[in-house]
Amino acid sequence: MNESSIVDSALPISIRGLTKQYGQLYALDTVDLDIKSGEFLTLLGPSGSGKTTLLMAIAGFNRPDAGSIRFGDKEMILTPPHKREVGMVFQSYALFPHMSVAENIAYPLKLRRVNKSERRERVNKALDTVQLSGLGERHIDQLSGGQRQRVALARAFVFEPRILLMDEPLSALDKKLRERMQIELKDLHRQLGVTTVYVTHDQREALTMSDRIAVIDNGQLMQVDAPQVIYNQPSNAFVADFIGESTMIPLKRTGNELFVGDERVSSVPDTPAETDWSLVIRPERLMVEPGTADRDSTLFFNGTVKESVFQGETALLLVVLDDGTEVSVRSSTGTATPGITANPGSQVQLAIFRRDIIVVPTGNSQR
Amino acid sequence: MSKTSAETVVENNQTGNQFPAVSDDNRVALAEQEKREQWKLLSLTFPALVVIALVILIPVGWLFYLSFIGKAGGFSLENYQKMIEYKSYARTFTTTFQVSFLTTLICILLGYPLAYFLAQLPGRWVGFFMLAVLLPFWTSLLVRTYAWLVLLQRKGIINDFAINMGLWESPIKLVHNMTGTLIGMAHIMLPFLVLPLYNAMKKIDRDMMHAASNLGASPARAFWTVYMPLSLPGMVAGSLIVFVLCLGFYVTPAVLGGGRVIMVSTQITAILENQFNWGAASALGVVLLIATLLVLFIAGRVLKLDAALFGKS
Ligand SMILES: Nc1ncnc2c1ncn2[C@@H]1O[C@H](COP(=O)(O)OP(=O)(O)OP(=O)(O)O)[C@@H](O)[C@H]1O
Ligand SMILES: [Mg+2]
């Protein structure tokens, strides 16, 4: 693919005030979202949060109640799906069982009146790209799950759409294959340079693959940011809780300072209107028995070990802090980590660097 | 591959397994269990097999035997010879196939949109409309047939209405002919087509049509290239049921055909009533049976019937 085709193979998507109601339930609640040209954006959220609804709205399969969807400068909200020119990989793959692999992939080309020889060439190239060369004559029911997924993918990009949508395409695959396909999908995205909206409820998948992640809950976007930002600086309690493991400890506010116990955590971030704040602690950022650490840069907790769980590459320590909060501590199981062998009932000291501290608003933050 | 337990012991000893292998090797016991279960299954089907033998094979065999008995009482081929000699028999078979074919065609033309409509309905409405399809299915055949007679006759509701509306001038002959027969037959056969077709359509994933339109197919194009082929097995199954049922149908053509539409079944009755000739009637029955089996056989070959009837996609 040459330089120029990469440039015009992508199209930005701009969504404004998109709302979709099913009875009393808001599946989408005034969603505003800008997806950059060529970006890999992942919609991440719990089941029933509206991910599929949003994707279907972009593809044109459902009719929103209000709002605007623009591809580039063009308003698409009233355009029927077959004229939107977006490729889509369905969660069920939706391959046509009465056609062979090659016929499936050739289907969009046939509709676009691509002549026979070019069609064959492009189908073969697409099969090459998804590493299925030679399987063109197979029937769909003769393919494994991973192979079907790739056929679905080849069919979605063979007509060079400028937007690619994928709805949990890897959810049916086993862990090993899923991880390999994640890397292949990412590679393919780099190759095609097409604007991609990807849906998953697997947060690791989202963190691995995306340029940006849009966290969605109850039809509302909670945060749209790069994976590191989502993980390190969640902007609210939902995101902090949903992404990664975390323990929330409510903070006490005195004046403009936030405290846990007697220990000052930080000053109140200058976002008005919020009243309640919580400390978010990631299990892997807690240190056990830190010894003589610097009090200025470190926050200490004392507690009793409740349980110690071996989980393979990491071990989990459940500790009940003196104020009753239960936190988990994760550390790698190599000999590099002492302290993790602590027996239930024993006293431990935990510490976290102040720079690893996350403070999020709770309470008034939610609408 | 069968292996004696002695060999297994040796093998296990070589690999250093200290447990005796004999007690682990349940090959014989497992094989016996499987055999026992197969016998149990067979004994479950036994009553059904007996019933089939009694009510189907024996009467059909008797029919077969009778068809070779001539007027004189001995063995003879005269019943079959007559069928070749007299034109009227050939005409009867032509009519039978004609009526069956046309009825099937009408059922497809009416039934496909109907099944499609039902398949698109939201769940709570399906029950109601399905009832509308099935209600006639549950009422007596004779009642429905005579109801059509009332509707279609010269001074019937349909003629009256059409003349009042100025659609046609004088009463049209809608009954006691081919038209009436086809109307009645199609009405009675419709559920046999709609049910398997609806079933096949229900199995088509919504995403199939979404995928087609996503790839650029207009609604019409998506229908012809994706929906239609995927619903075809149900249509084939339904059409075949209708066609085969039509081949042997009696009541409706007899009543609504008014003696002008002579199907094989009608003729069999006529022969029995007028001539009391069991031999000739049996021969007709045998030929009809063979013709029906032939239709099923050819359809099975051409259309891969088992896939259509038993839902292998
Ligand atoms: N056709 C529909 N009729 C009524 N409610 C619907 C319909 N489709 C979706 N919903 C509701 O809208 C909400 C969002 O659904 P959606 O399918 O977008 O969730 P999702 O985020 O894709 O979930 P999942 O991860 O389980 O696929 C859900 O509460 C769902 O029950
Ligand atoms: Mg979904």
Side-chain angles (χ1 to χ4, degrees), chain A residues 164-285:
Chain A
L164 194 58
L165 309 175
M166 296 189 237
D167 192 356
E168 306 200 31
L170 304 182
S171 61
L173 308 182
D174 65 63
K175 187 166 172 288
K176 274 247 159 58
L177 188 57
R178 192 162 64 224
E179 280 167 5
R180 212 180 66 219
M181 287 305 301
Q182 284 171 4
I183 295 167
E184 284 181 18
L185 276 181
K186 195 72 206 164
D187 268 356
L188 191 75
H189 172 249
R190 215 166 290 132
Q191 246 180 75
L192 301 172
V194 58
T195 308
T196 303
V197 185
Y198 188 92
V199 168
T200 184
H201 55 228
D202 178 344
Q203 45 159 305
R204 180 173 293 298
E205 194 167 294
L207 292 168
T208 316
M209 302 181 70
S210 332
D211 293 327
R212 283 194 306 159
I213 298 174
V215 181
I216 184 172
D217 184 38
N218 285 328
Q220 299 175 359
L221 287 183
M222 303 308 285
Q223 187 173 3
V224 186
D225 264 315
Q228 293 88 335
V229 180
I230 293 269
Y231 192 81
N232 293 328
Q233 296 150 42
S235 59
N236 54 54
F238 176 82
V239 176
D241 186 46
F242 188 68
I243 309 282
E245 296 171 289
S246 59
T247 306
M248 301 251 189
I249 302 175
L251 294 173
K252 280 195 289 286
R253 179 174 180 169
T254 311
N256 263 349
E257 306 290 306
L258 296 170
F259 289 88
V260 53
D262 300 331
E263 196 91 56
R264 194 194 79 96
V265 174
S266 68
S267 44
V268 174
D270 48 32
T271 330
E274 330 278 9
T275 51
D276 296 328
W277 299 84
S278 282
L279 177 64
V280 179
I281 297 180
R282 301 283 190 209
E284 77 280 6
R285 300 195 172 169

Side-chain angles (χ1 to χ4, degrees), chain B:
Chain B
M1 191 186 73
S2 75
K3 216 191 284 176
T4 66
S5 37
E7 276 170 339
T8 324
V9 172
V10 172
E11 206 174 73
N12 283 342
N13 284 344
Q14 279 167 348
T15 55
N17 189 340
Q18 70 267 43
F19 298 110
V22 191
S23 61
D24 293 343
D25 188 49
N26 289 316
R27 217 176 285 277
V28 178
L30 285 170
E32 268 172 13
Q33 190 185 40
E34 184 178 351
K35 203 174 269 171
R36 256 200 316 275
E37 274 170 22
Q38 278 170 351
W39 272 110
K40 268 187 210 157
L41 266 180
L42 200 66
S43 65
L44 279 177
T45 52
F46 190 69
L49 289 177
V50 170
V51 169
I52 286 174
L54 283 179
V55 307
I56 296 181
L57 290 183
I58 292 175
V60 167
W62 182 243
L63 207 69
F64 203 69
Y65 164 76
L66 278 181
S67 72
F68 287 103
I69 304 294
K71 272 226 169 73
F75 175 85
S76 132
L77 287 176
E78 65 180 51
N79 294 322
Y80 290 99
Q81 275 166 352
K82 258 194 285 184
M83 254 188 264
I84 298 166
E85 273 167 32
Y86 293 104
K87 277 256 166 52
S88 70
Y89 283 96
R91 227 182 298 126
T92 308
F93 274 98
T94 318
T95 311
T96 305
F97 274 84
Q98 202 180 8
V99 167
S100 304
F101 179 78
L102 289 175
T103 306
T104 311
L105 195 69
I106 295 170
C107 281
I108 292 173
L109 292 179
L110 292 176
Y112 197 95
L114 179 58
Y116 182 80
F117 171 74
L118 287 172
Q120 304 307 311
L121 276 180
R124 63 201 129 104
W125 286 103
V126 173
F128 174 76
F129 280 95
M130 206 41 124
L131 203 69
V133 174
L134 287 179
L135 205 60
F137 197 51
W138 291 328
T139 45
S140 153
L141 182 73
L142 216 56
V143 170
R144 276 180 291 162
T145 303
Y146 278 102
W148 275 116
L149 198 60
V150 172
L151 287 174
L152 295 173
Q153 62 189 300
R154 271 188 86 79
K155 294 241 149 69
I157 296 171
I158 292 180
N159 264 326
D160 277 0
F161 180 76
I163 290 166
N164 282 342
M165 293 292 289
L167 291 178
W168 53 74
E169 309 252 295
S170 53
I172 287 186
K173 213 166 155 25
L174 290 171
V175 79
H176 296 315
N177 58 12
M178 192 64 137
T179 316
T181 308
L182 288 179
I183 291 174
M185 294 274 281
H187 174 230
I188 283 154
M189 292 299 169
L190 199 57
F192 292 102
L193 184 101
V194 170
L195 288 179
L197 190 53
Y198 169 78
N199 200 27
M201 284 172 170
K202 261 317 209 204
K203 281 195 200 129
I204 301 175
D205 191 346
R206 280 178 80 90
D207 279 351
M208 285 296 157
M209 293 301 276
H210 279 164
S213 67
N214 175 257
L215 294 167
S218 63
R221 197 68 191 263
F223 175 81
W224 286 110
T225 54
V226 175
Y227 200 89
M228 185 71 186
L230 290 178
S231 64
L232 210 57
M235 195 171 94
V236 168
S239 305
L240 214 65
I241 293 171
V242 169
F243 191 81
V244 167
L245 280 177
C246 284
L247 284 181
F249 219 64
Y250 173 68
V251 174
T252 309
V255 174
L256 296 177
R260 282 184 194 81
V261 182
I262 315 267
M263 306 239 315
V264 175
S265 53
T266 339
Q267 193 161 13
I268 291 176
T269 327
I271 290 172
L272 281 181
E273 278 173 353
N274 303 338
Q275 313 168 14
F276 212 72
N277 186 343
W278 277 93
S282 301
L284 256 178
V286 167
V287 173
L288 180 62
L289 182 66
I290 290 170
T292 308
L293 291 177
L294 215 60
V295 168
L296 281 172
F297 177 76
I298 293 169
R301 273 297 161 89
V302 176
L303 302 165
K304 301 209 173 59
L305 191 63
D306 46 345
L309 283 179
F310 305 117
K312 198 184 149 286
S313 67

Side-chain angles (χ1 to χ4, degrees), chain A residues 80-224:
Chain A
H82 66 279
K83 290 185 180 150
R84 290 203 184 189
E85 297 279 317
V86 299
M88 176 143 181
V89 179
F90 291 82
Q91 184 165 3
S92 58
Y93 305 150
L95 296 171
F96 305 131
H98 58 296
M99 299 181 194
S100 70
V101 168
E103 284 166 344
N104 262 281
I105 301 175
Y107 186 81
L109 299 178
K110 241 186 221 166
L111 292 171
R112 286 167 181 76
R113 302 212 167 75
V114 175
N115 68 48
K116 211 169 179 179
S117 60
E118 193 192 333
R119 213 155 67 204
R120 189 172 319 123
E121 200 175 299
R122 280 170 72 174
V123 167
N124 285 336
K125 204 173 138 221
L127 279 171
D128 267 351
T129 312
V130 295
Q131 299 170 21
L132 286 179
S133 346
L135 293 191
E137 297 315 308
R138 287 269 189 99
H139 257 279
I140 298 304
D141 55 12
Q142 298 168 329
L143 298 180
S144 74
Q147 289 169 334
R148 280 177 209 200
Q149 200 263 327
R150 290 180 219 201
V151 175
L153 193 61
R155 191 181 63 175
F157 70 70
V158 71
F159 62 100
E160 293 175 2
R162 300 198 287 172
I163 291 166
L164 194 58
L165 309 175
M166 296 189 237
D167 192 356
E168 306 200 31
L170 304 182
S171 61
L173 308 182
D174 65 63
K175 187 166 172 288
K176 274 247 159 58
L177 188 57
R178 192 162 64 224
E179 280 167 5
R180 212 180 66 219
M181 287 305 301
Q182 284 171 4
I183 295 167
E184 284 181 18
L185 276 181
K186 195 72 206 164
D187 268 356
L188 191 75
H189 172 249
R190 215 166 290 132
Q191 246 180 75
L192 301 172
V194 58
T195 308
T196 303
V197 185
Y198 188 92
V199 168
T200 184
H201 55 228
D202 178 344
Q203 45 159 305
R204 180 173 293 298
E205 194 167 294
L207 292 168
T208 316
M209 302 181 70
S210 332
D211 293 327
R212 283 194 306 159
I213 298 174
V215 181
I216 184 172
D217 184 38
N218 285 328
Q220 299 175 359
L221 287 183
M222 303 308 285
Q223 187 173 3
V224 186

